[in-house]
Structures are given as C-alpha cells and as structure tokens.
Amino acid sequence: MFVREMSEQECVALVASGRLGRLACCREGRPYIVPIQYALAGKCLYGFSMLGQKIEWMRANPCVCIEVDEFSGQDQWKSVVITGRYQELPDTEQWHRERLHAWSLLEKHVNWWEPGGLKPGEQPIAGASPHVFYSIDIEEMTGRAAMAD
C-alpha cells in the first residue's frame, strides 16, 4: 500500500462530496467524538444539533476537529482532518442571515437533521427551541490517501 498527502483541492473535494463526519471536542482534558452531518460552504462547515454534551463542550472550548473519510477497501481510502473553531448561530437578529444560510445548505440533503436532531428516549416539551445551528470556521485542512502498490 502507498500513502500520500492529498492536495488542498483534493481535501476540499472529499469534504464537499461527503455529508457525514466525526466531530471531536475536548473539555477539561477529556476528548469526545460524535458523528455529525454537515454542509461545506467556503472555509466553513455548518451543522445542526440538539442541546447536549457536544454543544456544552464546544461552548466551553470552541477548538474542534472534524474527520471525513472515504473507504473503498483495505488498501484504498482517503481521510481529511479539519481543525477549526465552533461558532453558535443563535436565533437572533444578528445571526438570522447566517442561520438561514446554514439551514438552506443543510436541508438540501435527505435526513439532514440526523444524528444531531435525535436523542435517545423521550424528550420533554420545551418552551423554546432546543435546536442549535452552528458553524465551524476552518483553520486547517489536511488529508492522506492510500492506494494499492
């Protein structure tokens, strides 16, 4: 097997063609990783979630990492790692336009709210929306690709 560095264009193409990534965050020295659906626009990833551990941890420490991959076989795969900063898009006048932009990009995909919009077990009825739209401002994107010799 041969492993090589991917170009920036290859990294962007893989991330743009994907919908599912793994988001890693850290709080008090403890890592946490979860699957997310995302939409890429320029140097920004958009996501959606219910309130929970992921959102609490990203609020406490906005430095995050996202991994997106494509697996074609044991000796043929691609993997892109993105580092960036979490930014919540609250339902306020200031963030209204960007929040609608995030929603419009995400809703182009079937079941765009999964897994972020689902929680195990029954959820109490809330007076306000427990949904959170957010962006990850991309600071760095690197990738590797493997192929058979």
Side-chain angles (χ1 to χ4, degrees), residues 70 92 96 129:
E70 179 181 276
T92 64
H96 183 73
S129 173

Side-chain angles (χ1 to χ4, degrees), residues 81-100:
V81 174
I82 297 166
T83 56
R85 294 189 69 79
Y86 167 80
Q87 172 66 60
E88 203 159 313
L89 307 175
D91 193 8
T92 64
E93 186 66 33
Q94 176 186 353
W95 293 100
H96 183 73
R97 183 173 291 161
E98 191 161 3
R99 186 178 169 98
L100 285 179

Side-chain angles (χ1 to χ4, degrees), residues 63-74:
C63 298
V64 299
C65 184
I66 297 166
E67 190 271 344
V68 176
D69 57 45
E70 179 181 276
F71 184 79
S72 302
Q74 185 175 359

Side-chain angles (χ1 to χ4, degrees), residues 32-47:
Y32 182 61
I33 187 166
V34 292
I36 61 164
Q37 287 222 37
Y38 66 86
L40 176 67
K43 299 283 283 175
C44 190
L45 289 177
Y46 291 101

Side-chain angles (χ1 to χ4, degrees), residues 4 9 21 25 28-29 34 36 51 55 57 60 65 68 72-73 80 94 98 100 102-103 105-106 113 116 118 122 148:
R4 65 175 180 81
Q9 289 178 318
C25 51
E28 297 174 6
V34 292
I36 61 164
L51 292 174
I55 298 298
W57 284 34
C65 184
V68 176
S72 302
V80 172
Q94 176 186 353
E98 191 161 3
L100 285 179
W103 190 330
L105 293 171
L106 289 163
W113 59 88
L118 302 173
E122 250 183 77

